Every structure is written in structure tokens, then in C-alpha cells.
Amino acid sequence: MSVRVLTGAVLAAGLIVVPLASAAQFGRPAEIPLAGTPTAVVVLDATQDGLDDVVVGNATTPPLTLLPGTGTGAFDRPVAFGTGPAARALAVADFDGDGADDLAVAGGNQVTIYLQENAVLVKHASVDVPAAQALLVTDLDVDGNVDLVAGSSTRATVTVFQGLGDGTFQPGIDYATRGAAKSLLAADVNGDELPDLVTGGTGVSVLLGNGDGTLGPAVSASDTAGISALAAEDFDDDGDPDLAVARAPNVVDVLLNDGEGQFSAGTSQHVGGTPVALAVSYVDGDSSFDLVTANRGTNDVSVLLGTGDGGFQQQSRTRAGKGPAALAAGDLNDDGTNDLVVADRTSKAVTVLLNGADAPQPVVCTVPAVARKKLAARRLILLRLPELPLPTCDQGTAPARLAWHEPDKFFFPRPLAPADEERFLLRSHSPLAGDGNRLRLGRRLWHV
């Protein structure tokens, strides 16, 4: 049965709703280290190759990191890009009508739009939003152009920017809410075939859409406190969008819609500690919608399998990195099923969970301490270095290509095929020997 959910809402917590086909369960996770501090994450085709990529929003500069997808659940080397303040929320849409995925980034006192240009996301325009923390892309005025809705952490308002279809927007219009909006989604909650706005933060509020881009007053759907994320789907298969609400300390509530925009309490399920992000997906192979949360307090992901009547089975949990901050769904290994990627703020990584398969593990190479010391002491000497031990990698001998580094480790985000071990290319600004130097390590050349 179809459901009147008119957009995939992207929240401050990193929600993206992408219902695809099904698989049994999530396999062994892979944690991919990053140079930045992740705060938000989305899945999109940033490189225009038909494969899902991942863009991470960072609390540090540069504000964005692209992980180019390979169609296997692994990624090529991360690419930092973007300028401006730290990112708090991300949203994906085609803002200029060219059929390509574009990106909206909320951070500081603005929302910045990046448009696709020759398979590269390029900064295009920005709009002002004080302390922007939540984002939603939808078509509130039903004109075929993508509109933008932003929530502030310091004001009890949401701001609506009507899109002009070229990546720019009309001046924003503010609408009062019952508190700062931490999460946003759009759905036709009252059955009039027009998109309405739902906000979460201090309770849940509904602002009915008028079809011209304007909204009615905020009406309470729930007074429950501590809400961190929202999702909407037809959980009880009656044709009306219901709501799922993640809240502290460890609960997801389901609010069932009567078809006229009135919500009643449904089931409540326990999840891991402090859920900060929520996604709707198909996980277990049936036709019922399932729920997934990323849990900051317990460093894991909870899966709630739907029963099709508005209920959910008890959670199953899978580990993530430390300090999950955001969650997104997409087909990362190009098999037609929904996979997950979690932005882990504390461990400065993303965790990849593939549906029905183990995620490819990244290569981690440790630089021996004696090599680090001798290289640091002789960083300007290109010849006659003593015999030094090579980096040891968890995939055996050191691979031919490595990527970015921490003080004593180098990482490559996917397993590597056998390659020439005589030459090593470290694509990073290495503190060990300086960029561009050729250093002889044993019988091999180590390019840094």
C-alpha cells in the first residue's frame, strides 16, 4: 500500500530514508578512520558514476569529506573539500534540476548549497540561518523545485526557503515552533495530498502545509521531551504516514496516524543508550518497514524489525565506533539492499554496515618506532639511510598504495590487490620525512 511521504528527510542527526530491497542482517562492520571529526553523514552519487558515495560533515575544517564509493562497500581515498563553518547537518537533493545529486550543508549561521559541476560538488550559494542545526529538503509549494527548511538551535522557529530551481532561493520565512527543532521531516499527514512539516525537539509538532509554500501554526502531536530524531512511514499499512520518535534515554516511540493528522501512542521499544539518529529501511526481507537507530551512549546501532501492524520486534544491536553522531542508509555495495553508514564523532571514523555481508576491512599499516625516529632525524637526507624496518600492515606486507596518516599509522580505506612491493606511495603530508623526498628503506624505495 502506498504512503504519502513526500520526501526523504535529512535531519540534524543525519537521517535519510531510502527504502530498497531486502537482505537478512548486517554483517561484520568496518570502521574507516578519517582526518576530521564527523558530525553528519549522507549517501549520494557525488562522483556521477552511478555508485553510492558518502559525504561526511565535520566539526573541523575542511567541513566536508567525500568517500568515493566503489560499489563493493569499500571506498577510495577520502577527499576533503568545502569552505566555511563546521557542518552540523547535511541534505541531498537536485537543487538546479539537472538530474544530479546536490548537497546542502548547515553550519554556523548559514546553509550552503553545493551543486554538481562535472562530477564535482562546487560551492554555489548560501542562505542565512542563525545557529543552523537541522535541514530538510522537500517541495512545499508543489512547483517542482526543491525547497529548503532549516531549524535553529537558538530560536523556536523554522525557516522556509522556496527554491527557484537554479540552486538559489527566495528570502526565508520564519514559522514559530514549540522549541528549537532538532529534527525535521515532511509528509502528507492529513490526507490532502499536500506536504506538511513535522518538527521534533521539545515534543513533536505538526505544521500543515497550504500547498503554496506557507505553513499553518504548530500543533502538538506529542509532548514527550528529549526527542533527538524523527522518521515517517506507513508502519501499520493503512495508507497514512505514521511517526517514529527517538528519545532519551533509550526509547523509540511509534505514533499512529488516524489519516487526518491526529496521532495516538502506539508501541514503544528500547534501543541502545542515547539514540541520536533514526532511519527507516527494509532489513529482514519482508514488506514491513524496519527502524534503525545510532546510539551515542552505547556506541552501537539498534535494529527494530517491523511487524507490519505498527509494532516492532525487540532490538538487535551491532557495534559501531565511539560516539555515533549520525546515520545514513544507501546501497553501498550495489546489491539492491539497504546498507548503513554511521558517523562516529569520538573515534573520528565512519562505520560501514552491509546488509547480508561483511564490510571490506580497511588496511592499517603501523610505522615501526625505530623507523619513525630515524626518518625524523634524517628527513633531509635522500641517500645512505640505514636499513629500516618496513611498515607492518594487517593485510600482510606493506601495500603499494597507502593513503592518509596519523602519527604512527597509515590507512587505506579498502583491501588492496597484490601490487609491486618495491615502491610505496604515501599520499599524505607525512611528518616523517617531508613531502616529495625519496627515502631508501632496506631494498625498497619509500616515496613520501
Side-chain angles (χ1 to χ4, degrees):
M1 187 173 293
S2 62
V3 60
R4 294 186 301 271
V5 176
L6 304 182
T7 181
V10 182
L11 313 182
L15 165 66
I16 184 168
V17 179
V18 190
L20 297 173
S22 306
Q25 60 186 1
F26 295 105
R28 181 181 64 169
E31 189 172 351
I32 300 174
L34 298 174
T37 303
T39 55
V41 64
V42 289
V43 176
L44 74 167
D45 185 4
T47 56
Q48 292 299 287
D49 60 357
L51 301 174
D52 278 349
D53 309 307
V54 170
V55 170
V56 179
N58 299 312
T60 50
T61 56
L64 300 167
T65 301
L66 167 64
L67 286 164
T70 64
T72 65
F75 301 89
D76 281 324
R77 181 175 184 263
V79 178
F81 71 102
T83 59
R88 296 195 64 179
L90 305 175
V92 178
D94 179 10
F95 293 110
D96 57 358
D98 65 353
D101 288 340
D102 305 312
L103 182 67
V105 183
N109 296 313
Q110 64 187 33
V111 177
T112 303
I113 304 299
Y114 289 78
L115 299 183
Q116 282 278 356
E117 293 184 11
N118 299 318
V120 177
L121 289 168
V122 178
K123 191 173 183 178
H124 177 71
S126 63
V127 295
D128 294 331
V129 179
Q133 73 166 355
L135 276 181
L136 169 69
V137 289
T138 186
D139 185 7
L140 287 175
D141 54 5
V142 201
D143 64 351
N145 299 325
V146 177
D147 306 319
L148 188 68
V149 184
S152 166
S153 63
T154 59
R155 301 191 306 169
T157 61
V158 292
T159 306
V160 175
F161 299 91
Q162 291 178 254
L164 299 176
D166 60 357
T168 62
F169 301 85
Q170 295 183 20
I173 300 175
D174 290 339
Y175 294 89
T177 57
R178 296 192 307 136
K182 292 184 178 180
S183 56
L184 303 167
L185 64 81
D188 176 17
V189 301
N190 63 346
D192 62 357
E193 299 186 356
L194 298 174
D196 309 307
L197 180 67
V198 183
T199 70
T202 305
V204 178
S205 297
V206 176
L207 292 79
L208 295 179
N210 298 314
D212 58 359
T214 62
L215 298 169
V219 177
S220 174
S222 172
D223 291 324
T224 302
I227 292 171
S228 56
L230 299 174
E233 263 301 351
D234 184 9
F235 299 122
D236 57 1
D237 199 30
D238 65 354
D240 305 311
D242 308 304
L243 299 178
V245 181
R247 62 178 173 88
N250 61 341
V251 177
V252 171
D253 298 316
V254 175
L255 304 178
L256 298 178
N257 189 353
D258 67 357
E260 298 181 355
Q262 302 296 315
F263 293 90
S264 60
T267 62
S268 294
Q269 294 289 339
H270 286 99
V271 292
T274 317
V276 294
L278 177 65
V280 177
S281 181
Y282 290 111
V283 175
D284 62 344
D286 62 13
S287 60
S288 301
F289 291 106
D290 308 311
L291 292 171
V292 183
T293 65
N295 310 311
R296 185 179 62 202
T298 47
N299 298 322
D300 55 20
V301 170
S302 294
V303 177
L304 300 171
L305 299 179
T307 58
D309 58 359
F312 292 85
Q313 299 178 26
Q314 290 186 350
Q315 66 170 326
S316 61
R317 283 156 63 178
T318 302
R319 68 174 176 85
K322 294 180 181 178
L327 171 71
D331 186 7
L332 301 178
N333 61 346
D334 201 30
D335 66 350
T337 65
N338 253 350
D339 309 307
L340 299 175
V341 58
V342 182
D344 303 316
R345 178 165 184 156
T346 304
S347 57
K348 296 184 178 181
V350 293
T351 299
V352 176
L353 291 161
L354 299 185
N355 199 335
D358 292 338
Q361 300 297 307
V363 176
V364 180
C365 299
T366 302
V367 181
V370 62
R372 295 201 307 273
K373 293 177 181 178
K374 290 184 177 181
L375 285 173
R378 303 194 182 197
R379 58 180 302 167
L380 300 180
I381 300 175
L382 303 186
L383 300 173
R384 296 183 180 178
L385 277 175
E387 295 283 324
L388 297 177
L390 290 171
T392 57
C393 303
D394 58 11
Q395 235 189 0
T397 58
R401 291 201 301 158
L402 300 174
W404 67 103
H405 75 279
E406 289 183 357
D408 62 346
K409 291 182 180 180
F410 289 86
F411 303 94
F412 196 81
R414 60 188 172 95
L416 297 159
D420 181 9
E421 296 181 7
E422 296 300 315
R423 299 169 67 86
F424 297 88
L425 178 61
L426 302 186
R427 298 191 175 195
S428 67
H429 295 284
S430 172
L432 303 181
D435 296 324
N437 292 340
R438 289 156 47 94
L439 299 172
R440 184 171 297 279
L441 299 182
R443 299 177 182 175
R444 299 175 175 88
L445 284 177
W446 189 2
H447 288 226
V448 292

